[in-house]
Amino acid sequence: VGKCRSFWRKHRKKILVTTTCLGSGYLLYKLYNAHTRSLADLERELADERHNDEIIKTQMKAHFENIQMIADVTTLPHALRRLSSRIAEEIHVSSVMETLSKGKGTLVPSEKLHLWNELKILSFTRMVLSLWSVTMLSLYIRVQVNVLGRHLYIDTARGLTTSHLLEELDLIDREEEKKFLTSADYLATNGMPSLISDMKRAVKEVLKGKQLKDVLTTRSLEETVIRILDVFMSKGSPHHWVDYLMMAQDTTMSPRDTTTTSVPSSDDATVSKLHQLINETREVLTSTEFTNVAEISLKSCTLALGEEMEKQTGLAAGMQLAKLLPQIEKIVPEISAVPDENRFLQLIRDLPEVQLFFTLLYSNMPL
């Protein structure tokens, strides 16, 4: 015992320093080991997140491509059929042409001139209106399916884990989707009378100085169509043309009064969601970015129209306006043909500006 005490007194300082170092070393080792495990766990979490991000990106890309296909294969063909039928019903070009054909030799010069001038206005109105309607309707429907598709994807990706909730969501979404997408028929059913009237006014303003004997080339035809579109789009309040595509903002479906203390029903939620979708669509249509995309699409389609007329009629060498009018009637059905056979729709779909716009719209990125 005495020797131990003597050893302790003699070496106490060394023993304490050694013990402290060993304790500190062990503590540092434990801390380092815990830190290493934390780093490993963090790296695994980050790897899992990156993996999940890649899965989400892949799913979003597939979903995005799928809803673009829905627009082309389902929604747009139906809307185009209704649109072309309505334009043909409202603008009676064939009846004027028939009257001119049957009246050869019996019509007095003033009657003949009046009918030819009427044919001039009606033919250009139908052609430019078809070009505008098909272009804007295709863009509008694509806005719809992207806005709706984004909502459906986000809703599905949220924490809905039970099959009961998923079934409920699916039922609500189907009903909303039906109501929302059928609003694409508004142009053909409600917007057409005022659209025709305003387009005809723009056509008259641009064509008032053009005589039936005037010679038009491909370039002058393109310039005339662009001028008509510019006059039409610039008339009225900013973005007035949106009201041809969808109900005016003050008449759209609004949510039921939420100031009451009653518990909202599922119908209230559906109306509110539908109202949100409609408002988002209008916000997109009235954005500067959409206006730019629409202008690029209309100009591209106008140039394609000139090329098609040139190919079919030899317009490059020039043609009198009176002889050009029957050729215009032949090309109008091509403008509103089904998507698979429609050069103009394919052109719009392939424009880089259009592709970028809808990619950003679907991903909810700044346009």
Side-chain angles (χ1 to χ4, degrees), residues 136-167:
M136 300 302 284
L137 185 62
S138 68
L139 293 174
Y140 171 65
I141 288 175
R142 205 169 290 277
V143 168
Q144 277 193 308
V145 297
N146 276 277
V147 168
L148 179 61
R150 187 181 68 206
H151 273 273
L152 294 178
Y153 185 87
I154 291 172
D155 288 346
T156 304
R158 283 175 180 160
L160 298 173
T161 55
T162 69
S163 59
H164 174 67
L165 285 175
L166 286 171
E167 287 170 4

Side-chain angles (χ1 to χ4, degrees), residues 224-242:
T224 300
V225 172
I226 290 173
R227 176 62 182 149
I228 292 170
L229 289 170
D230 287 343
V231 170
F232 168 73
M233 295 288 276
S234 63
K235 292 292 184 181
S237 60
H239 307 295
H240 68 95
W241 44 268
V242 175

Side-chain angles (χ1 to χ4, degrees), residues 292-316:
N292 293 338
V293 166
E295 288 176 354
I296 291 170
S297 300
L298 287 168
K299 185 173 182 180
S300 298
C301 287
T302 299
L303 297 178
L305 175 67
E307 292 173 2
E308 198 65 29
M309 290 289 290
E310 182 178 301
K311 183 172 67 175
Q312 295 185 15
T313 66
L315 189 59

Side-chain angles (χ1 to χ4, degrees), residues 195-212:
L195 172 59
I196 292 174
S197 176
D198 292 343
M199 185 65 76
K200 186 181 290 187
R201 192 177 298 114
V203 169
K204 286 181 178 179
E205 180 176 330
V206 174
L207 295 186
K208 61 184 176 183
K210 294 191 180 295
Q211 305 299 318
L212 292 168

Side-chain angles (χ1 to χ4, degrees), residues 159-225:
L160 298 173
T161 55
T162 69
S163 59
H164 174 67
L165 285 175
L166 286 171
E167 287 170 4
E168 270 190 3
L169 176 69
D170 190 45
L171 288 172
I172 294 172
D173 284 340
R174 267 196 233 127
E175 184 63 24
E176 288 173 357
E177 180 179 352
K178 182 179 178 181
K179 290 180 180 178
F180 183 55
L181 293 180
T182 53
S183 66
D185 289 332
Y186 182 84
L187 174 61
T189 55
N190 298 84
M192 191 56 65
S194 56
L195 172 59
I196 292 174
S197 176
D198 292 343
M199 185 65 76
K200 186 181 290 187
R201 192 177 298 114
V203 169
K204 286 181 178 179
E205 180 176 330
V206 174
L207 295 186
K208 61 184 176 183
K210 294 191 180 295
Q211 305 299 318
L212 292 168
K213 62 182 179 181
D214 289 348
V215 174
L216 270 68
T217 62
T218 305
R219 181 66 181 273
S220 58
L221 176 64
E222 292 169 354
E223 290 174 348
T224 300
V225 172

Side-chain angles (χ1 to χ4, degrees), residues 58-73:
T58 301
Q59 290 175 342
M60 286 191 73
K61 184 174 184 294
H63 191 251
F64 173 73
E65 292 172 351
N66 185 53
I67 62 175
Q68 311 310 309
M69 184 182 68
I70 290 172
D72 291 332
V73 175

Side-chain angles (χ1 to χ4, degrees), residues 37-56:
R37 285 199 303 270
S38 296
L39 285 177
D41 291 342
L42 181 59
E43 287 178 358
R44 279 195 297 271
E45 289 178 8
L46 290 174
D48 290 341
E49 287 181 6
R50 284 193 294 268
H51 179 65
N52 290 337
D53 286 344
E54 290 301 319
I55 292 175
I56 291 172

